């Protein structure tokens, strides 16, 4: 490992909450600070003047994913320019409600996404397909052990679980508890079982 790659080991994908209606402003702000971020989009089919077009809209309008060190994110959230002339902060932590801080059992740590899970999520949400949809865990039924990888088509390489949504077989990718995204229809011939270690 070269010395120049060492700082990257401290970078992680943080999930930050964005105040209502300000996702574009948040993305511009984070990038202006020199940090990498990701705003997942979905592609909606619309008709304008008789022509069919696909337009991008935020998939999760309340969240931005920032790849940075904990110190960089802390600085980002406490920057005075975020709150200037605004009644509400532009960005705040989204906390991991499944665990508690070791030194303070009454508090949750910020939610961090594993690189592998984030790469899978980016791969899925970068596809310009209007049939990719966000779902809740209540609306799907996972079959036990049905971890799959898509082997053909535009979703090739996406890992997830098989589910039936809107009458179609799809593959669900879960980024964190309650944040799930479904592919468009995937035929059984285009996927294979995948055993996670």
């Amino acid at each position: 490992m070269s010395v120049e790659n060492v700082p990257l080991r401290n970078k992680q994908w943080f999930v930050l909450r964005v105040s209502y209606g300000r996702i574009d402003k948040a993305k511009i702000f984070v990038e202006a600070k020199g940090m990498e971020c990701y705003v997942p989009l979905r592609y909606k089919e619309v008709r304008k003047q008789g022509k069919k077009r696909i337009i991008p809209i935020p998939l999760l309008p309340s969240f931005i994913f920032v790849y940075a060190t904990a110190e960089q994110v802390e600085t980002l959230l406490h920057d005075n320019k975020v709150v200037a002339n605004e009644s509400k902060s532009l960005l705040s932590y989204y906390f991991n409600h499944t665990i508690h801080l070791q030194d303070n059992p009454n508090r949750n740590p910020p939610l961090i996404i594993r690189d592998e899970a984030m790469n899978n999520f980016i791969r899925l949400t970068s596809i310009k397909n209007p049939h990719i949809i966000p779902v809740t865990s209540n609306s799907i039924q996972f079959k036990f052990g049905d971890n799959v990888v898509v082997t053909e088509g535009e979703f090739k390489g996406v890992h997830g679980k098989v589910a039936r949504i809107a009458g179609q077989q799809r593959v669900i990718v879960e980024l964190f508890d309650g944040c799930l995204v479904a592919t468009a229809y995937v035929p059984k011939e285009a996927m294979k079982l995948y055993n996670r270690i």
Side-chain angles (χ1 to χ4, degrees), residues 29 51 64 66 69 91-92 96 113 123 140 157 174 178 192 194 197:
F29 177 76
K51 292 184 179 179
I64 189 168
V66 177
T69 65
L91 299 167
S92 60
N96 185 343
I113 308 298
R123 179 182 292 140
I140 59 173
E174 181 172 24
K192 67 178 183 181
Y194 173 78
I197 298 172

Side-chain angles (χ1 to χ4, degrees), residues 72-88:
Q72 287 175 315
V73 172
E74 196 64 30
T75 302
L76 184 72
L77 295 181
H78 290 95
D79 190 314
N80 289 331
K81 291 179 183 165
V82 178
V83 294
N85 302 323
E86 302 281 352
S87 59
K88 233 180 165 188

Side-chain angles (χ1 to χ4, degrees), residues 5 22 28 44 65 92 100 102 112 117 126 129 145 150 170 178:
N5 291 332
R22 297 164 73 194
I28 291 166
K44 186 176 179 180
F65 301 86
S92 60
H100 298 283
Q102 288 181 348
I112 295 168
S126 295
N129 184 312
V150 181
R170 300 174 186 239

Side-chain angles (χ1 to χ4, degrees), residues 31-43:
E31 289 174 341
K33 296 294 180 185
M35 293 180 218
E36 183 180 347
C37 65
Y38 182 67
V39 174
L41 300 173
R42 70 184 182 98
Y43 297 87

